[in-house]
């Protein structure tokens, strides 16, 4: 009833409309009562065939409203009627959305029943909680993946990036995390993925078990830039909705790079200047605005732990988006093609991965083991080339000898089948056993 009343209230009494003045590329300029409008508002353009094209107002220039469409612009003509809609960019989430696959508009795309409508509105472009009112990052969260649990421990309310080139195993890792992480709800945004991959991810990798406590938000690569960007906003909004119910939420996005590319398209369409790699300045203001929304909630409320993938093009870990994201998040997980090519999955380079909250959450008695394991791995990594070339002679350096002896066991520890799960304690024990039984002190 309440939602019906608010629905009725939100119906405009008068119709405000303008007319299409120009169409250039994706940009549609509308002339009309622009003083009535605001950035972020919606416009519905009536095309010649009688269909409606939803657009968002993204700016104003010379007395015209600049609009970008949510769908293809075919059929839009000069003079088409553009009705300004009262859409305030909000959704009404409901617990019944769990287990569903939806699009950026909050419509189901899994062929199931229509979604239930919740009672309170949640804005898509919410502002982050004020930093001083937030709880601190909590205790370790069990990701179920042992190389991360031990070497890059993630805490409740932490935000981490997963950096990798294409085909290195980001999506498979994401699905492992979605299935195995010890949280109440996972909200997964698939942004700008290929349609085929989305199907694969949902039906094969995530499976029924993973879907039970998850919501998947999808905007495929062929959808408009606005839809792809909005899918990221909606993902975050739904994570906030569950957080406000006191739940521990895992918010995942694959990938942030595609979100940045959508924002690049939007920025360039309205005439922003391109800067690094063609990315306009708004990309670098939108990224922190989005990512800061994840994190701990207010004290005594739920939390949003964030895991976001970043596609590093040409395996260049210093490209602008990777650089910007690394600066915003509390840690990064680096996946490498060379490791995947060796056949070790997940192809995580633990020496290059960092969790900034980790120093505070590793148990005191495990620290020496961890330090020793890291040292052995870095000794091996330094000598790897020489060892492979046969240029290292056994016995020259006891430390290197021990690193060589332990390397197969450590590699086996770091690798994990995608259907396997190891909790934090088991991971610690396993690593300790490897170090104790093989090599011990030098
Ligand atoms: N844990 C794993 N175990 C076995 N194979 C894996 C694993 N992770 C990734 N792969 C292989 O790598 C391929 C690409 O992985 P995917 O996650 O789709 O990459 P990305 O999302 O980074 O493009 C998969 O099709 C699979 O063959
Ligand atoms: Mg992928």
């Amino acid at each position: 009833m309440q939602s019906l009343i608010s629905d009725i209230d939100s119906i405009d009494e008068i119709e405000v409309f303008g007319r299409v003045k120009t169409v250039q590329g994706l940009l549609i300029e509308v002339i009309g009562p622009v003083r009535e409008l605001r950035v972020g508002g919606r416009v519905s353009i009536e095309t010649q065939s009688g269909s409606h094209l939803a657009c968002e107002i993204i700016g104003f220039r010379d007395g015209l409203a600049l609009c970008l469409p949510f769908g293809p612009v075919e059929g839009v003509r000069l003079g088409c009627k553009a009705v300004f809609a009262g859409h305030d960019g909000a959704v009404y989430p409901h617990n019944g959305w769990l287990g569903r696959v939806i699009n950026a508009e909050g419509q189901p795309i899994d062929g199931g029943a229509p979604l239930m409508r919740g009672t309170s509105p949640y804005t898509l472009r919410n502002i982050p909680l004020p930093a001083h009112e937030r709880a601190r990052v909590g205790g370790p969260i069990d990701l179920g993946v042992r190389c991360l649990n031990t070497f890059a421990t993630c805490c409740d309310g932490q935000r981490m990036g997963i950096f990798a080139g294409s085909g290195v195993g980001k999506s498979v890792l994401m699905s492992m995390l979605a299935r195995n992480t010890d949280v109440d709800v996972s909200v997964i945004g698939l942004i700008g993925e290929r349609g085929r991959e989305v199907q694969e991810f949902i039906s094969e990798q995530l499976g029924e078990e993973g879907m039970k406590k998850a919501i998947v938000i999808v905007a495929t690569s062929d959808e408009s830039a606005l839809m792809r960007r909005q899918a990221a906003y909606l993902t975050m909004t739904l994570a906030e909705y569950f957080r406000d119910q006191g739940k521990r939420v895992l918010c995942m996005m694959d990938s942030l790079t595609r979100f940045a590319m959508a924002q690049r398209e939007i920025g360039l369409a309205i005439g922003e200047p391109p800067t690094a790699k063609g990315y306009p300045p708004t990309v670098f203001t939108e990224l922190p605005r989005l990512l800061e929304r994840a994190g701990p909630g207010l004290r005594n409320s739920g939390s949003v732990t964030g895991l976001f993938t970043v596609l590093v093009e040409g395996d260049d870990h210093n490209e602008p988006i990777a650089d910007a994201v690394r600066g915003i998040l509390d840690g990064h997980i680096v996946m490498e093609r060379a490791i995947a090519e060796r056949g070790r999955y997940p192809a995580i380079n633990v020496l290059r991965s960092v969790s900034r909250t980790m120093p505070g959450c590793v148990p005191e008695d495990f620290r020496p083991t961890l330090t020793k394991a890291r040292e052995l791995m870095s000794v091996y990594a330094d000598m790897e080339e020489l060892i492979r070339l046969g240029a290292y002679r056994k016995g020259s350096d006891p430390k290197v000898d021990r690193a060589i002896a332990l390397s197969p066991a450590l590699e086996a520890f770091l690798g994990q089948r995608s259907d396997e799960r190891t909790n934090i304690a088991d991971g610690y024990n396993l690593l300790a056993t490897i170090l104790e039984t093989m090599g011990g002190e030098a």
Side-chain angles (χ1 to χ4, degrees):
M1 193 62 199
Q2 201 59 47
S3 71
L4 256 181
I5 293 172
S6 70
D7 262 4
I8 293 168
D9 278 347
S10 70
I11 296 173
D12 288 330
E13 284 141 33
I14 40 167
E15 188 185 62
V16 181
F17 70 90
R19 299 269 173 201
V20 172
K21 180 143 190 275
T22 67
V23 181
Q24 189 182 37
L26 285 178
L27 188 67
I28 301 170
E29 293 183 317
V30 172
I31 188 163
V34 285
R35 277 160 186 252
E36 302 281 322
L37 312 177
R38 61 188 165 76
V39 171
R42 293 295 175 85
V43 177
S44 170
I45 295 178
E46 289 174 14
T47 62
Q48 198 185 6
S49 59
S51 62
H52 294 257
L53 175 66
C55 299
E56 184 174 317
I57 302 172
I58 36 159
F60 298 99
R61 189 194 301 145
D62 303 333
L64 300 173
L66 310 180
C67 308
L68 278 185
F70 279 98
V73 293
E74 275 77 45
V76 175
R77 297 204 319 178
L78 296 191
C80 276
K81 191 172 172 186
V83 182
F84 301 115
H87 192 300
D88 53 357
V91 286
Y92 292 77
H94 190 278
N95 280 343
W97 293 19
L98 278 176
R100 302 298 300 270
V101 184
I102 61 179
N103 68 8
E105 293 277 71
Q107 249 99 46
I109 50 170
D110 51 7
L115 292 179
M116 307 269 273
R117 189 185 149 109
T119 48
S120 10
Y122 270 77
T123 38
L124 289 170
R125 308 193 61 175
N126 212 348
I127 45 168
L129 292 173
H132 60 277
E133 284 174 26
R134 284 186 152 183
R136 301 270 306 274
V137 168
I141 201 162
D142 190 348
L143 299 176
V145 177
R146 54 181 177 259
C147 75
L148 294 178
N149 275 347
T150 43
F151 290 100
T153 319
C154 178
C155 292
D156 196 9
Q158 187 173 352
R159 300 157 312 156
M160 300 256 264
I162 300 174
F163 294 77
S166 60
V168 181
K170 290 183 299 301
S171 302
V172 175
L173 179 63
M174 288 259 299
S175 69
M176 284 172 84
L177 294 167
R179 271 180 283 125
N180 297 336
T181 304
D182 174 28
V183 285
D184 303 320
V185 173
S186 18
V187 183
I188 306 166
L190 300 179
I191 296 147
E193 291 273 299
R194 284 168 283 246
R196 176 186 58 77
E197 285 184 321
V198 169
Q199 276 306 325
E200 229 174 75
F201 182 83
I202 293 168
S203 59
E204 286 166 35
Q205 295 167 359
L206 208 51
E208 249 174 61
E209 191 202 326
M211 272 312 285
K212 255 188 250 158
K213 55 167 188 180
I215 301 182
V216 180
I217 298 97
V218 178
T220 46
S221 55
D222 55 318
E223 290 185 59
S224 66
L226 276 184
M227 285 292 255
R228 281 176 276 141
R229 182 178 76 168
Q230 187 160 307
Y233 293 148
L234 180 60
T235 306
M236 208 47 102
T237 300
L238 294 181
E240 288 168 337
Y241 165 73
F242 288 106
R243 174 200 68 198
D244 291 347
Q245 296 183 9
K247 299 236 162 66
R248 290 157 74 229
V249 183
L250 177 66
C251 173
M252 300 202 279
M253 275 188 215
D254 193 13
S255 69
L256 269 189
T257 308
R258 307 264 188 232
F259 166 78
M261 286 175 172
Q263 180 62 37
R264 171 167 70 183
E265 259 176 63
I266 294 167
L268 294 179
I270 56 171
E272 265 194 81
T275 56
K277 277 228 173 161
Y279 287 106
T282 46
V283 171
F284 302 97
T285 52
E286 286 295 327
L287 273 173
R289 270 185 62 179
L290 177 75
L291 297 174
E292 281 296 332
R293 290 169 64 182
L298 302 175
R299 288 176 202 108
N300 304 322
S301 90
S303 60
V304 178
T305 305
L307 292 169
F308 309 101
T309 67
V310 176
L311 181 70
V312 287
E313 282 170 81
D315 293 285
D316 171 15
H317 286 258
N318 293 319
E319 57 100 42
I321 298 304
D323 241 4
V325 172
R326 239 194 324 268
I328 301 166
L329 299 179
D330 322 305
H332 49 273
I333 296 162
V334 178
M335 302 181 82
E336 277 177 4
R337 193 173 301 279
I339 299 178
E341 281 167 358
R342 286 210 299 267
R344 197 249 281 159
Y345 289 104
I348 296 169
N349 183 334
V350 292
L351 293 173
R352 288 181 62 194
S353 303
V354 176
S355 162
R356 293 194 192 152
T357 60
M358 189 177 163
C361 71
V362 180
E364 198 68 54
D365 56 343
F366 183 67
R367 281 185 200 168
T369 312
L370 197 58
T371 316
K372 212 190 295 173
R374 260 193 209 222
E375 192 191 324
L376 286 167
M377 283 194 281
S378 82
V379 167
Y380 188 86
D382 286 347
M383 298 296 289
E384 202 171 2
E385 285 290 288
L386 290 183
I387 297 167
R388 203 164 335 117
L389 290 172
Y392 174 77
R393 229 173 328 112
K394 211 175 163 203
S396 327
D397 183 343
K399 243 194 188 142
V400 179
D401 288 343
R402 199 153 47 95
I404 295 174
L406 273 173
S407 173
L410 285 175
E411 279 283 299
F413 173 82
L414 297 176
Q416 186 167 335
R417 280 201 325 273
S418 61
D419 55 358
E420 211 183 328
R421 182 179 197 283
T422 310
N423 67 25
I424 297 185
D426 289 350
Y428 283 168
N429 290 335
L430 199 58
L431 187 63
T433 315
I434 291 172
L435 292 192
E436 275 160 28
T437 53
M438 306 178 64
E441 291 301 315

